[in-house]
Amino acid sequence: MADLSARCGPLALRNPFLLASGIWGESGESLAGAWAAGAGGVVTKSIGSAPRFGYANPTIETYERWGMLNAMGLPNPGIDEYPKEIEIARRAGATVIGSIFGGDADEFARLGARMASTGVVALELNLSCPHAEGFGTEVGSDPKDVEAIVRRVVESSRLPVIAKLTPNTSDPVALALAAERGGASAVSAINTVRGLAIDVRLRRPVLAHGLGGLSGAAIKPVGLACVWQIYEKVSIPVIGVGGIMTADDALEYVMAGARAVEVGTAVAFEGIAVFGRLVRELGERLDALGFSELEDAVGVAHSAPSASSG
Ligand code: RRO
C-alpha cells in the first residue's frame, strides 16, 4: 500500500486528511473520536477571546447533493474554557491544531500565545469566515492585515502558523504571499464561499443571519483553483479545503499542489467514519495509479503537458 504520510512544512501527519475547523470539533471527545476514526489530525473550532453563542437559528441549509450553507456565527466557549477540551483530545493521542479568530493583530497575538500553551502542534488563523462582523474575512481580505496578523502570532506563539484564507477575493495569491511574508508555515485554502438562500414562501432569507458560507462538493472547483494559483507563486505548503467527499477529490487537491487536505462537509454528511473510508480509498487509488508515496503526487498536474500543446 502506498505511503500516505504527509509532510506539511514542520508538520508530520500520519495521513493527509485533517478534520476541518468548525465540524465535529466542539468537545475533546469529538476531536478524539475523529482521530480514532483515522483522521491525520484535527483542527479545533475557531476559538475567540470570549464565549459566543453564535447566530439565531436557522443556521444551516442543506443541499442534498452538493453542499451546505451555514451562518453559525463563530459559536465557541472562549479561550478560558476550551483548553480542557484540547487536553482530552491530546490525551487520546490526537495531533491537534488550534484554530483562533480575532478582530485585530493584538487580539490574534494574545489568543495565539494562549492557544500555544495548550500543547497544540500548530495554530490555524481564521482570516476567512465570510459572514462575521469584525472577524474572518473582514480582517483577512487586505494583504497588509494578513501579513501583520501572521507576524504577530508567529512572534507571540513560536508555533507553526497556518493562515486560513478566503476565496471571497479577487486575488487569493496576494493573501497567501502576505501570509508567507509574515512568517506563516503554511496556508489553508479555502474557507466557505459567501452565499445566500431565500425562502420564497416566507419572502426572506432561509438563514436567520441572511448571508452564509457555502461548503461541500459545489465549491471544490473554487478551492482547487485557489490551491493551484497559490502553489504556483508561494513557497510554503498549501492545505486544500473545500468539497472533499472522495479520495479522488483529495487527490485532485494534491495534484494541484496541496500537501494535506481538510474535510468538513463530508463529516457533517457521513460522520467521522468518512476518515477510514478516505484513507482506504486513497491508498488503493495511489496504488492503482502507480504512486508509492502520496508526496510523489504533490503538484504533478502543474508539470503535465498541456492538452493544447503540439
Ligand atoms: O462559525 C461560522 O459561522 C463559520 C466560521 Br467561524 C467559518 O470560518 N466559516 C464558516 O463558514 N462559518
Side-chain angles (χ1 to χ4, degrees):
M1 182 74 97
D3 177 3
L4 291 190
S5 58
R7 183 151 268 294
C8 195
L11 294 183
L13 304 170
R14 64 181 179 178
N15 70 58
F17 296 107
L18 300 169
L19 174 72
S21 179
I23 306 275
W24 212 278
E26 49 286 333
S27 72
E29 281 84 5
S30 58
L31 291 170
W35 173 258
V42 294
V43 187
T44 70
K45 278 179 86 71
S46 290
I47 303 298
S49 301
R52 272 175 70 107
F53 287 109
Y55 300 142
N57 284 321
T59 52
I60 293 184
E61 167 78 330
T62 305
Y63 306 101
E64 221 167 82
R65 292 170 57 86
W66 46 270
M68 215 163 82
L69 187 71
N70 90 82
M72 308 303 294
L74 301 107
N76 80 99
I79 195 68
D80 291 336
E81 281 300 310
Y82 197 72
K84 61 179 186 274
E85 307 300 336
I86 294 174
E87 183 54 27
I88 293 168
R90 288 184 62 235
R91 265 194 263 119
T95 297
V96 184
I97 296 170
S99 171
I100 53 174
F101 70 90
D104 57 28
D106 283 344
E107 189 176 11
F108 264 106
R110 278 195 304 275
L111 282 164
R114 292 288 307 279
M115 186 58 97
S117 71
T118 65
V120 295
V121 298
L123 303 176
E124 185 178 76
L125 312 188
N126 186 333
L127 298 165
S128 42
C129 179
H131 48 62
E133 285 74 34
F135 301 109
T137 307
E138 289 193 8
V139 298
S141 292
D142 182 330
K144 285 199 295 295
D145 295 338
V146 169
E147 182 177 345
I149 290 169
V150 169
R151 179 166 291 122
R152 290 289 308 282
V153 179
V154 168
E155 286 165 3
S156 76
S157 71
R158 306 267 162 209
L159 271 189
V161 167
I162 304 162
K164 187 166 189 177
L165 303 178
T166 179
N168 302 301
T169 171
S170 60
D171 196 352
V173 174
L175 298 177
L177 285 168
E180 183 175 48
R181 283 195 303 275
S185 295
V187 295
S188 42
I190 54 176
N191 204 314
T192 51
V193 176
R194 190 176 297 120
L196 178 70
I198 302 278
D199 185 320
V200 294
R201 280 162 307 162
L202 298 179
R203 305 180 187 197
R204 49 153 293 161
V206 172
L207 304 183
H209 179 258
L211 295 175
L214 184 65
S215 61
I219 70 164
K220 186 182 71 171
V222 181
L224 280 169
C226 288
V227 169
W228 176 275
Q229 289 183 291
I230 292 169
Y231 180 79
E232 295 212 324
K233 299 279 189 245
V234 178
S235 306
I236 54 176
V238 189
I239 299 172
V241 200
I244 294 163
M245 321 302 276
T246 68
D248 271 9
D249 295 331
L251 200 46
E252 281 192 76
Y253 271 100
V254 170
M255 289 185 174
R259 297 197 154 265
V261 294
E262 295 182 11
V263 182
T265 303
V267 176
F269 283 4
E270 190 178 330
I272 49 176
V274 71
F275 287 108
R277 175 175 69 78
L278 289 172
V279 167
R280 195 178 56 252
E281 286 178 2
L282 183 61
E284 290 166 2
R285 197 67 169 140
L286 288 172
D287 286 347
L289 293 173
F291 289 102
S292 57
E293 298 180 22
L294 178 71
E295 292 265 309
D296 294 341
V298 174
V300 294
H302 292 262
S303 48
S306 127
S308 61
S309 66

